[in-house]
Amino acid sequence: VWLLTILFQLGDREGHDLFQFVLGATLICSIIAAVVFIFTKGTEFSKARYFIGVFVIASALTSVLSFRKQIKANA
């Protein structure tokens, strides 16, 4: 996600557009990571694998949202 962010910044995107891109990329990457986890390592966590998958998505989005002001202020 952060590599994509750097590439997007090089394309002269900033502010709200940059934030929306980072948030969308994070959502897509975290959903992919959660699905991969659920069907691979998640089998070892039988009852908690879906909860952990949701937690992976929530923690990724929280990490981006915590830097919202810095990403939007990037000019």
Side-chain angles (χ1 to χ4, degrees):
V1 170
W2 296 115
L3 178 62
L4 291 174
T5 303
I6 291 170
L7 293 174
F8 205 68
Q9 280 180 313
L10 293 174
D12 293 330
R13 299 292 179 113
E14 55 190 36
H16 186 70
D17 287 340
L18 180 62
F19 175 70
Q20 289 298 319
F21 175 77
V22 172
L23 194 60
T26 301
L27 179 63
I28 291 169
C29 289
S30 64
I31 288 173
I32 291 170
V35 168
V36 168
F37 171 79
I38 288 170
F39 291 110
T40 57
K41 293 288 186 184
T43 58
E44 298 173 12
F45 299 93
S46 61
K47 294 181 182 177
R49 68 181 174 180
Y50 296 109
F51 174 74
I52 295 172
V54 169
F55 189 73
V56 165
I57 296 168
S59 64
L61 292 176
T62 301
S63 69
V64 171
L65 290 173
S66 66
F67 288 102
R68 178 181 63 238
K69 289 181 183 179
Q70 289 87 352
I71 294 172
K72 284 185 175 182
N74 184 18

